[in-house]
């Protein structure tokens, strides 16, 4: 704070006293601000630690009972005699595969929409389409679940799935993945609903970062004769990769943890089947449909599934960070 | 200053709430089976009109109901799967049957009308095991000459949550199919060999309604309210029966409640020409030494009222009221076992 900004001495006090007063009040304000923000940061860590801790305590009986075998066992029989047999492989598989299929569908489409909006779309259409995509992001997941159950599921089972099954009937491997019968409720349908749910995240974040590309870069590229595709590939995407990957990871996080929409359309079966038209389950769907009824080690196994989802999400985020760092390094060289 | 005033106002409000809370009539609280939920809510409506006392019943499933009563968060628990006498004694619970009903298989096949299709126990078990995978299977065709069935895969819909309805359904399948008994067995949640899982009786009803060529099982009231296509059954006596009050009643008439300790009795696959094979009672659980005696007394008043005035409402929804002599037996059990004083 420079002296010039200080008020002139008032009420007989000296300039020095006045200045000290102002400075100390500023210092106190700063200190208060420091502690307030620091406290907030600590609270976040505390809550995170608390959640991990309580998940671990809740999951402990299941960990003690099933050990590492929980990750490799597919059988889920809470009422088996004499002792329940509970394995998490089915829901873990369902979570990973449904998210993977959703990403395979949503990433190209989402990026495509973003490119269209920023590079190709007529000015007039830009605002309405952007608003529509942001509205998609605001729809509660239960609505997606109902829509998937009542509209999308029957439509897929009637038209899309039979066509896919017929197409790949004689192709080895693929005929196992696209194996009938068609079903309203299946891993494929859940993945498709997930893809539609995460699409707006990818699109709106990518669009925002695409808009940050300096026009001069693009104009230079166009000036040397690049096509739109080349501009996107060589200028826009390299310039914005951090933001784009961030958006994709946010979408993946949502896909991994999505509960209600998936529970509605996935069919809740713990059996792993090769066909993506067969019912499956995910970690969050299994917890949602069984938690109310569960007790003892069954309940503990569900909490363990929750803990695993937590770990899974953490690994995915860490991997994304790592990937990002390597990309940065490569770009730096 | 403003903050001070706000704080003071909040304190006053809080104290006022605490002070007035006990004065309000407490609703009777219960939780459990979804199977009897339609009739309990109908009774609760009528009871509220007559006495001003409400019933807060959460239909969260039998297993959850048992969990809630063990956690003492509700005054009564409701379950379709009765607890064995040893378990009742261990936890200090008293159990009795409140009302009976039927479980019916429901299908959604284009062109098939309610009651047109008939199955026997073995065929039903094979369908739910995945051994019979198509509607055109000879085992189904043999029972249904004259009904045109599609050459389509059967979509099995079953419960994804623990359920008393599942308990009674799988108990029946275990009695009629040795294969089912050894491979799947009976309990509130079994390892289903095939099918998609839906939550609650309403979830199964909704899924069957949505899915072509599907089959599921629901409590009869749900089938009736949703206007679903029910399936007739061949019963233990080898006769074809439709799911009607009379058929449920015929199965219930055989029940020997007097010699069932803790009223532990499962009514599936009863003998008799007119008996519906999947009939079930639904049970109430309360503590013998209740923590809140006043709440316990209120709950018993409600159940007594339901025994006295609820039969007509039950019959309207195709539940079967308990026979008069059994009601008297249950009243004696209340007086002897539940210490409300």
């Amino acid at each position: 704070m420079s002296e010039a900004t200080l008020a002139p001495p008032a009420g007989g006090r000296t300039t020095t006293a006045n200045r000290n007063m102002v400075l100390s009040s500023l210092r106190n304000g700063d200190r208060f601000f420091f502690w307030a923000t620091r406290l907030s940061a600590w609270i976040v860590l505390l809550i995170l630690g608390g959640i991990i801790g309580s998940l671990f305590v809740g999951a402990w009986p299941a960990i003690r009972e099933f050990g590492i075998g929980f990750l490799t066992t597919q059988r889920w029989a809470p009422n088996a005699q004499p002792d329940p047999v509970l394995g998490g492989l089915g829901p873990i598989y369902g979570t990973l595969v449904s998210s993977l299929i959703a990403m395979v569908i949503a990433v190209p489409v989402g990026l495509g929409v973003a490119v269209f909006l920023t590079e190709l779309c007529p000015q007039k259409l830009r605002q309405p389409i952007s608003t529509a995509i942001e509205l998609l992001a605001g729809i509660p997941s239960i609505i997606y679940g109902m829509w998937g159950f009542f509209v999308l599921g029957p439509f897929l089972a009637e038209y899309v799935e039979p066509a896919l099954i017929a197409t790949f009937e004689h192709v080895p491997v693929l005929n196992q993945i696209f194996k009938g019968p068609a079903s309203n409720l299946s891993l494929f349908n859940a993945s498709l609903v997930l893809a539609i749910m995460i699409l707006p995240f990818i699109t709106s974040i990518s669009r925002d970062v695409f808009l940050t590309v300096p026009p001069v870069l693009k104009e230079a590229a166009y000036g040397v004769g690049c096509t739109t595709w080349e501009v996107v590939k060589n200028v826009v995407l390299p310039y914005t990769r951090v933001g784009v990957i961030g958006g994709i990871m946010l979408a993946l996080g949502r896909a991994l943890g999505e509960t209600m929409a998936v529970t509605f359309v996935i069919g809740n079966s713990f059996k792993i089947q090769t066909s993506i038209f067969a019912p499956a389950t995910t970690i969050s769907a299994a917890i949602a449909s069984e938690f109310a009824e569960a007790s003892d080690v069954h309940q503990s196994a569900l909490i363990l599934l929750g803990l695993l989802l937590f770990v899974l999400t953490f690994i995915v985020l860490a991997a994304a960070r790592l990937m990002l760092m390597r990309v940065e390094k490569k770009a730096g060289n | 200053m403003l903050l001070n005033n706000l704080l003071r106002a909040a304190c006053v409000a809080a104290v006022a709430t605490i002070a007035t809370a006990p004065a309000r009539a407490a609703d009777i609280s219960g939780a459990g089976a979804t199977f009897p939920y339609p009739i309990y809510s109908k009774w609760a409506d009528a009871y509220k009109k007559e006495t001003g006392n409400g019933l807060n019943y959460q239909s969260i499933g039998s297993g959850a109901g048992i969990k809630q009563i063990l956690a003492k968060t509700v005054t009564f628990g409701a379950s379709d799967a009765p607890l064995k006498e040893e378990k009742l004694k261990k936890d200090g619970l008293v159990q009795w049957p409140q009302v009976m009903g039927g479980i019916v298989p429901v299908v959604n096949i284009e062109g098939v009308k309610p009651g047109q299709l008939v199955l026997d126990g073995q065929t039903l078990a094979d369908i739910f095991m995945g051994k019979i995978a198509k509607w055109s299977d000879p085992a189904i065709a043999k029972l249904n000459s004259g009904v045109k069935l599609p050459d389509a895969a059967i979509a099995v819909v079953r419960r994804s949550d623990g359920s008393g309805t599942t308990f009674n359904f799988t108990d029946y399948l275990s009695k009629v199919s040795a294969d089912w008994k050894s491979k799947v067995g009976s309990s509130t949640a079994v390892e289903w060999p095939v099918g998609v899982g839906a939550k609650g009786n309403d979830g199964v009803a909704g899924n069957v309604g949505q899915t072509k060529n599907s089959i599921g099982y629901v409590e009869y009231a749900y089938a009736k309210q949703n206007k679903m296509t029910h399936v007739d059954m061949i019963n233990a006596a080898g006769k074809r029966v439709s799911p009607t009050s009379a058929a449920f009643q015929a199965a219930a008439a055989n029940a020997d409640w007097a010699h069932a300790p803790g009223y532990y009795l499962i009514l599936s696959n009863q003998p008799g020409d007119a008996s519906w094979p999947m009939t079930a009672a639904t049970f109430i659980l309360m503590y013998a030494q209740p923590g809140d005696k006043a709440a316990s007394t209120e709950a018993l008043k409600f159940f007594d009222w339901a025994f006295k005035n609820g039969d007509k409402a039950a019959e309207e929804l195709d539940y079967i009221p308990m026979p008069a002599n059994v009601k008297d037996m249950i009243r004696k059990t209340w007086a002897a076992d539940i210490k409300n004083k």
Side-chain angles (χ1 to χ4, degrees):
Chain A
M1 184 95 343
S2 77
E3 274 186 56
T5 59
L6 288 176
R13 267 182 289 174
T14 64
T15 314
T16 340
N18 207 358
R19 182 169 63 191
N20 283 345
M21 205 182 78
V22 172
L23 281 180
S24 85
S25 89
L26 283 176
R27 209 168 17 233
N28 283 341
D30 232 19
R31 200 171 295 152
F32 172 76
F33 188 66
F34 171 74
W35 281 106
T37 49
R38 179 181 228 192
L39 192 70
S40 312
W42 278 112
I43 286 175
V44 171
L45 280 184
L46 210 69
I47 291 173
L48 186 73
I51 291 174
I52 296 176
S54 54
L55 276 178
F56 196 80
V57 168
W60 182 244
I63 297 174
R64 209 178 37 198
E65 179 91 19
F66 306 114
I68 197 78
F70 188 78
L71 297 175
T72 52
T73 309
Q74 202 195 124
R75 190 162 172 228
W76 184 268
N79 287 325
Q81 295 299 331
D83 288 312
V85 179
L86 298 163
L89 192 61
I92 294 171
Y93 167 86
T95 305
L96 291 176
V97 173
S98 64
S99 296
L100 181 77
I101 300 175
M103 296 307 283
V104 166
I105 299 169
V107 169
V109 177
L111 289 181
V113 175
V115 168
F116 175 75
L117 280 177
T118 53
E119 307 296 327
L120 301 164
C121 183
Q123 203 67 36
K124 253 194 221 157
L125 269 179
R126 210 167 269 192
Q127 202 48 46
I129 295 181
S130 304
T131 313
I133 284 173
E134 262 142 41
L135 279 178
L136 268 186
I139 295 175
S141 63
I142 190 94
I143 309 281
Y144 279 105
M146 281 168 64
W147 175 76
F149 181 75
F150 286 113
V151 182
L152 186 69
F155 173 79
L156 290 175
E158 187 82 31
Y159 303 105
V160 180
E161 293 180 13
L164 283 171
I165 293 166
T167 309
F168 295 109
E169 210 177 345
H170 302 295
V171 187
V173 182
L174 286 184
N175 64 3
Q176 290 303 307
I177 295 175
F178 297 100
K179 199 170 129 188
S183 164
N184 279 13
L185 308 170
S186 68
L187 185 60
F188 176 68
N189 299 6
S191 308
L192 215 58
V193 170
L194 276 180
I196 296 167
M197 287 179 75
I198 61 180
L199 191 71
F201 285 85
I202 298 175
T203 299
S204 62
I205 292 176
S206 312
R207 187 206 52 193
D208 287 349
V209 294
F210 285 173
L211 287 175
T212 64
V213 178
V216 66
L217 285 184
K218 287 195 280 183
E219 281 156 17
Y222 281 121
V224 296
C226 287
T227 60
T228 311
W229 163 243
E230 284 167 331
V231 170
V232 170
K233 195 180 78 165
N234 298 323
V235 178
V236 176
L237 280 178
Y239 190 84
T240 56
R241 63 178 173 272
V242 176
V244 170
I245 292 177
I248 291 174
M249 286 306 141
L250 195 69
L252 179 58
R254 172 135 197 220
L256 285 173
E258 176 50 43
T259 310
M260 271 340 280
V262 172
T263 312
F264 262 65
V265 296
I266 201 164
N268 303 306
S269 163
F270 281 81
K271 257 172 72 175
I272 297 177
Q273 295 177 58
T274 51
S275 171
I276 58 171
F277 299 140
T281 191
T282 66
I283 291 177
S284 41
I287 295 173
S289 56
E290 298 210 349
F291 206 75
E293 292 276 327
S295 54
D296 307 329
V297 78
H298 183 194
Q299 184 178 350
S300 174
L302 288 171
I303 298 174
L304 178 54
L305 277 179
L307 184 65
L308 287 173
L309 181 62
F310 207 95
V311 173
L312 213 65
T313 318
F314 183 79
I315 292 174
V316 165
L317 288 178
R321 270 285 154 84
L322 213 71
M323 205 165 78
L324 220 57
M325 265 156 62
R326 286 178 68 176
V327 170
E328 293 284 90
K329 226 171 157 183
K330 229 168 98 189
N333 288 341
Chain B
M1 201 53 218
L2 178 71
L3 198 70
N4 247 338
N5 279 339
L6 277 179
L7 268 179
R8 203 167 303 151
C11 286
V12 171
V15 169
T17 326
I18 293 163
T20 52
R24 245 182 286 138
D27 282 356
I28 303 158
S29 71
T34 58
F35 173 96
Y37 175 63
I39 182 60
Y40 289 175
S41 60
K42 198 164 180 181
W43 281 343
D45 259 5
Y47 189 65
K48 174 116 189 168
K49 270 182 206 134
E50 252 187 68
T51 62
N53 287 340
L55 168 73
N56 175 13
Y57 182 74
Q58 309 161 36
S59 85
I60 49 176
S62 297
I66 293 170
K67 215 169 114 185
Q68 293 294 325
I69 185 75
L70 289 177
K72 303 190 177 170
T73 54
V74 288
T75 310
F76 71 89
S79 169
D80 302 332
L83 294 181
K84 292 243 167 72
E85 205 196 3
E86 309 92 73
K87 171 89 176 143
L88 292 172
K89 285 230 169 83
K90 199 184 113 225
D91 291 315
L93 289 166
V94 179
Q95 168 178 273
W96 70 89
Q98 184 67 27
V99 69
M100 296 179 281
I103 298 163
V104 294
V106 286
V107 294
N108 177 3
I109 309 169
E110 223 171 282
V112 173
K113 289 181 205 61
Q116 214 181 359
L117 199 66
V118 64
L119 295 171
D120 59 16
Q122 183 66 45
T123 315
L124 190 66
D126 285 349
I127 290 175
F128 275 85
M129 280 187 94
K131 278 207 233 157
I132 295 178
K134 288 203 159 184
W135 283 113
S136 53
D137 195 281
I140 302 176
K142 203 176 75 193
L143 293 166
N144 293 284
S145 52
V147 183
K148 207 176 158 321
L149 288 166
D151 183 29
I154 301 175
V156 171
V157 181
R158 37 76 177 179
R159 293 285 287 269
S160 64
D161 49 344
S163 145
T165 312
T166 301
F167 173 82
N168 284 295
F169 183 70
T170 52
D171 182 80
Y172 169 64
L173 295 185
S174 294
K175 279 180 183 154
V176 292
S177 160
D179 215 20
W180 181 278
K181 190 173 184 180
S182 65
K183 292 207 179 103
V184 186
S186 70
S187 85
T188 53
V190 296
E191 285 173 87
W192 296 98
V194 291
V196 299
K199 204 164 158 56
N201 264 304
D202 38 358
V204 173
N207 264 305
V208 171
Q210 273 296 305
T211 313
K212 273 188 194 159
N213 301 316
S214 59
I215 185 167
Y217 58 93
V218 291
E219 201 287 314
Y220 184 62
Y222 287 85
K224 199 175 183 190
Q225 280 168 14
N226 295 312
K227 301 195 173 52
M228 306 191 72
T229 308
H230 66 256
V231 174
D232 283 358
M233 291 296 298
I234 308 276
N235 66 12
K239 296 280 188 317
R240 177 177 178 152
V241 280
S242 292
T244 56
S245 294
F248 302 150
Q249 207 120 37
N254 287 308
D256 183 11
W257 293 104
H259 295 97
Y263 296 101
Y264 185 95
L265 202 61
I266 299 164
L267 299 174
S268 65
N269 208 28
Q270 292 287 326
D273 281 359
S275 294
W276 178 253
M278 286 171 279
T279 305
T282 181
F283 299 82
I284 300 288
L285 294 161
M286 277 176 64
Y287 277 103
Q289 308 277 355
D292 184 347
K293 291 186 169 36
S296 176
T297 310
E298 283 303 316
L300 283 185
K301 265 192 210 157
F302 169 73
F303 291 124
D304 189 47
W305 176 92
F307 275 161
K308 270 195 206 118
N309 310 297
D311 290 1
K312 206 171 143 277
E315 277 159 5
E316 276 166 19
L317 289 175
D318 291 278
Y319 288 90
I320 309 131
M322 302 307 296
N325 62 327
V326 181
K327 285 181 186 168
D328 285 338
M329 250 155 59
I330 294 169
R331 288 195 180 98
K332 275 185 201 133
T333 305
W334 290 343
D337 293 350
I338 299 182
K339 309 279 183 289
N340 277 337
K341 288 191 184 80

